[in-house]
Amino acid sequence: MANLYVGVSGLQTSQNALNTTAHNLANIGTEGYTRQQVSLGDRKYQLIDIKPAISHKQTGLGVAYVNCKQVRSVFLDASYRLESGRSEFYDISYETLEQVEDLLQEMNGAEFADNLTNLWTQVQEVAKDPTSAVNQAAFVNRCAEFVESAKAVYKGFVEYQENLNKQVKTLVDEINDIGDGIRELNQKIVAIESGYVEKANDLRDTRNSLLDRLGELGNITYEEDIFGNVLVNFEGTQFVLSDNVHHLGCDIEESPCNYYTVYWEYAAKRYEDEEGNTVLDISGAHVYDLTKTVSTQLNTDVGELRSTLLARGDHNATYHDITDDETGVYYNKNIAQSVIMNIEAEFDQMFHNIVSAINEVYENAASNPATLQNLKDGRATANPADYVMFNMIDDDDALIYDIDSDHTAGNNITGLTIVNTEVNEKLLQTPTINTFVTIEGEEDTAAATALKEVFTDARYTLNPNVATRIDLMEYYDALVAQVANTGSINKALSENQTITVNTISAAREQIVGVSSDEELEFMIEFQNAYNASSRFINVVNEMLEHIITSLGR
């Protein structure tokens, strides 16, 4: 009679194997699905007799459905998640540079370069006839156009930084949601598999998909404990534990622009100040050190979140970020690696150089006796510095963050930056207030020549890492070329990284993917095994019937 149970075990295991095969075929096009493989084995044998001289006498008890495992490569999974994170990093960098290039080249349908060229053209006209009221008025208007176009471009940079800042919050929320999702799946998987009977393979597929996405967002490492929990580290810090998730937080207190600083909530400290206000101290809880060099060897070029933070920077940069430290250490450590802050600082430096040099020319021209007498007529002051071309805006609300000489946060407005500069109202009202006439009544050719030299003297550099000096007419072209070259490099890196990810993905898919031909072979095999078990039961049944019938006679 026991032989019937041997046949039944064959029917049951074959049916379960057919169900697994059918499940594989049903999910052949399901994204993230991992094919499942059935393992069959012998049931324990029944010992009948022991003969030391020969083999033991045993009776088989049938076949057992040992396991239904996922077919995955741990190495390919880890490689895919690391390289996809690196791919996202360079994708963000390239997209940001594309946006910067668009902002530099186009502004409401007119290129900024046109306004710079128009300003230079008018400088040449003034040099030809500096005493012409028409030329002087046209130059003031060109200066006003130049300031407004520069403000518009810089405003575009700032608005893009704000958009990146919103993306930071979105990415942090997504990372936290993924962590919560992994922990919830851990609990479900452990509950199902704790009886060592069933495998929660579909839940494991969902968890693997979350790990894939988390790998795109940041640099992760992970391991599975003996209970089935996946424990995850994010950027070198414990993130998903067996019983908890360490969430990321966003704080704006460290940034003068209210930009988010990403920190670990569990590591932040809260205390009350002298006034009883709750203060959050995240100084020892930062997730990233963005001053580290971007390097593949150090894995500091991994993750969409890191790339977004680097692209955005932590403030709206000005020329102070370049010029206030002659060694270039501050620039290289805090500015150079940020796409937006680097271009803001270099662009503002160009603007500052132009307006400061023009102001110097105007101040010198206003110092000659003929102009001074003109200034005194009907005016309360004859200070030449009051009649320069550009002034700083008095409205504090118009100011955007500017670092001070110690590179600390503050609204220091020393020096002409794009956001705090406007054309002198006196010159807008009376463009000919500076006569460009010497005491002898002749044209002030020295002032006219100095005005041209503002644009033609090769005395400027883009940043501390560039040794070649260029003039202001070459500066903007060099700025755009730098963006284009960096964008080209990042595009090549992004494309190469995409190829790497696709190669690893294809290799992984060969292992985890479902092959219809292979599954159909398994289906035929298990169907034949089912039929064989059925025939075995029929044979045993006929044999028993024959024995019982014979005994009855």
Side-chain angles (χ1 to χ4, degrees):
M1 296 291 291
N3 286 326
L4 289 173
Y5 292 101
V6 173
V8 170
S9 71
L11 290 176
Q12 290 175 338
T13 53
S14 297
Q15 182 61 56
N16 288 335
L18 283 170
N19 291 339
T20 300
T21 303
H23 188 58
N24 285 339
L25 288 170
N27 288 279
I28 196 169
T30 302
E31 184 177 356
Y33 180 79
T34 303
R35 70 185 178 97
Q36 300 175 16
Q37 191 174 68
V38 174
S39 297
L40 304 180
D42 295 339
R43 291 180 184 270
K44 291 183 178 180
Y45 285 83
Q46 183 179 7
L47 185 62
I48 298 175
D49 191 12
I50 298 177
K51 300 290 186 182
I54 58 176
S55 62
H56 298 168
K57 292 184 178 179
Q58 301 178 100
T59 300
L61 298 180
V63 63
Y65 189 86
V66 177
N67 191 16
C68 179
K69 64 180 181 179
Q70 290 184 312
V71 184
R72 300 189 71 93
S73 167
V74 176
F75 171 75
L76 288 177
D77 281 343
S79 297
Y80 175 82
R81 287 158 187 164
L82 176 62
E83 297 304 328
S84 62
R86 186 167 284 125
S87 179
E88 289 294 326
F89 181 93
Y90 289 111
D91 284 347
I92 293 295
S93 299
Y94 173 57
E95 290 171 7
T96 303
L97 283 163
E98 274 193 321
Q99 181 68 26
V100 167
E101 194 168 7
D102 290 342
L103 290 170
L104 287 173
Q105 295 294 336
E106 290 293 333
M107 183 201 61
N108 296 328
E111 292 184 3
F112 172 78
D114 290 343
N115 291 284
L116 183 59
T117 301
N118 291 339
L119 180 62
W120 164 237
T121 300
Q122 194 56 43
V123 166
Q124 297 177 82
E125 293 299 318
V126 171
K128 293 176 184 177
D129 187 1
T131 60
S132 169
V134 174
N135 286 342
Q136 291 183 27
F139 183 58
V140 173
N141 289 333
R142 290 302 186 192
C143 285
E145 292 174 0
F146 171 73
V147 170
E148 291 305 313
S149 62
K151 286 181 181 293
V153 172
Y154 194 88
K155 182 181 178 182
F157 295 149
V158 173
E159 289 177 346
Y160 191 62
Q161 278 181 293
E162 292 171 353
N163 289 335
L164 290 174
N165 190 53
K166 294 177 182 177
Q167 290 182 30
V168 168
K169 185 64 169 65
T170 300
L171 293 175
V172 167
D173 290 342
E174 184 179 1
I175 289 170
N176 287 335
D177 289 342
I178 289 175
D180 292 334
I182 291 175
R183 180 174 179 271
E184 183 180 347
L185 287 167
N186 281 344
Q187 293 175 332
K188 293 180 179 179
I189 291 169
V190 170
I192 292 173
E193 297 183 354
S194 59
Y196 300 99
V197 175
E198 187 177 357
K199 298 289 286 187
N201 288 329
D202 289 345
L203 293 179
R204 286 176 171 270
D205 284 340
T206 304
R207 188 172 67 181
N208 279 317
S209 295
L210 291 180
L211 287 172
D212 286 347
R213 176 55 183 156
L214 190 62
E216 294 175 353
L217 295 170
N219 186 18
I220 65 170
T221 57
Y222 52 91
E223 63 178 358
E224 184 173 336
D225 65 15
I226 59 174
F227 304 105
N229 294 298
V230 163
L231 311 179
V232 184
N233 288 352
F234 186 84
E235 297 297 337
T237 301
Q238 289 182 326
F239 178 45
V240 180
L241 293 76
S242 59
D243 59 348
N244 190 26
V245 177
H246 287 159
H247 286 162
L248 280 67
C250 289
D251 181 61
I252 62 174
E253 295 300 324
E254 286 193 354
S255 170
C257 296
N258 292 332
Y259 289 164
Y260 293 119
T261 300
V262 183
Y263 68 97
W264 291 107
E265 291 184 351
Y266 81 94
K269 299 177 181 179
R270 295 182 183 273
Y271 62 90
E272 289 189 358
D273 60 14
E274 296 177 354
E275 299 178 356
N277 299 318
T278 301
V279 178
L280 178 66
D281 179 11
I282 65 170
S283 57
H286 290 183
V287 176
Y288 296 101
D289 179 4
L290 298 179
T291 63
K292 286 185 176 180
T293 303
V294 174
S295 167
T296 300
Q297 287 73 24
L298 299 175
N299 283 335
T300 52
D301 61 345
V302 177
E304 187 176 342
L305 180 56
R306 180 190 286 271
S307 185
T308 303
L309 287 167
L310 275 175
R312 183 207 65 188
D314 61 1
H315 66 273
N316 308 134
T318 67
Y319 76 94
H320 289 290
D321 290 287
I322 297 177
T323 61
D324 285 3
D325 181 6
E326 295 180 358
T327 65
V329 173
Y330 172 83
Y331 169 80
N332 287 317
K333 188 175 182 180
N334 297 278
I335 305 300
Q337 294 188 128
S338 171
V339 174
I340 295 294
M341 288 204 302
N342 185 63
I343 196 66
E344 282 178 338
E346 292 177 344
F347 187 72
D348 189 67
Q349 180 179 240
M350 177 192 68
F351 178 87
H352 172 77
N353 289 337
I354 290 175
V355 299
S356 297
I358 291 175
N359 269 4
E360 183 179 355
V361 172
Y362 260 67
E363 186 172 353
N364 292 336
S367 299
N368 70 68
T371 299
L372 284 175
Q373 184 60 45
N374 186 35
L375 294 177
K376 289 179 181 178
D377 294 339
R379 294 171 177 83
T381 177
N383 183 4
D386 291 339
Y387 298 95
V388 293
M389 178 65 73
F390 304 99
N391 288 332
M392 285 192 293
I393 299 172
D394 293 329
D395 184 5
D396 290 339
D397 293 335
L399 300 179
I400 299 180
Y401 171 71
D402 191 4
I403 63 169
D404 61 21
S405 58
D406 294 326
H407 302 292
T408 56
N411 281 328
N412 176 27
I413 60 173
T414 303
L416 293 169
T417 62
I418 292 175
V419 296
N420 68 9
T421 298
E422 65 181 359
V423 174
N424 191 340
E425 187 66 27
K426 295 184 178 69
L427 284 175
L428 288 173
Q429 295 174 359
T430 311
T432 58
I433 199 169
N434 288 336
T435 60
F436 287 95
V437 176
T438 66
I439 190 63
E440 292 82 11
E442 300 177 353
E443 292 181 354
D444 192 349
T445 55
T449 301
L451 194 60
K452 287 183 63 177
E453 290 176 349
V454 168
F455 292 86
T456 57
D457 276 3
R459 54 185 177 182
Y460 306 102
T461 58
L462 281 176
N463 58 62
N465 300 325
V466 178
T468 304
R469 295 190 174 275
I470 54 179
D471 61 45
L472 287 176
M473 292 310 298
E474 297 171 325
Y475 189 107
Y476 183 74
D477 291 337
L479 184 65
V480 174
Q482 174 190 257
V483 172
N485 290 336
T486 307
S488 178
I489 293 172
N490 278 277
K491 181 180 180 181
L493 290 171
S494 176
E495 291 175 346
N496 290 337
Q497 200 58 41
T498 299
I499 293 173
T500 300
V501 172
N502 290 340
T503 301
I504 296 174
S505 178
R508 190 171 74 153
E509 189 63 26
Q510 289 181 349
I511 296 175
V512 304
V514 179
S515 168
S516 58
D517 292 341
E518 184 179 14
E519 295 304 321
L520 287 173
E521 290 178 5
F522 284 136
M523 180 172 287
I524 293 172
E525 177 184 336
F526 296 137
Q527 283 177 337
N528 288 334
Y530 186 92
N531 293 335
S533 297
S534 177
R535 292 178 61 186
F536 176 82
I537 291 174
N538 288 334
V539 169
V540 172
N541 181 57
E542 291 175 359
M543 182 180 65
L544 289 173
E545 183 180 359
H546 180 73
I547 293 173
I548 293 171
T549 302
S550 298
L551 290 175
R553 293 175 183 176

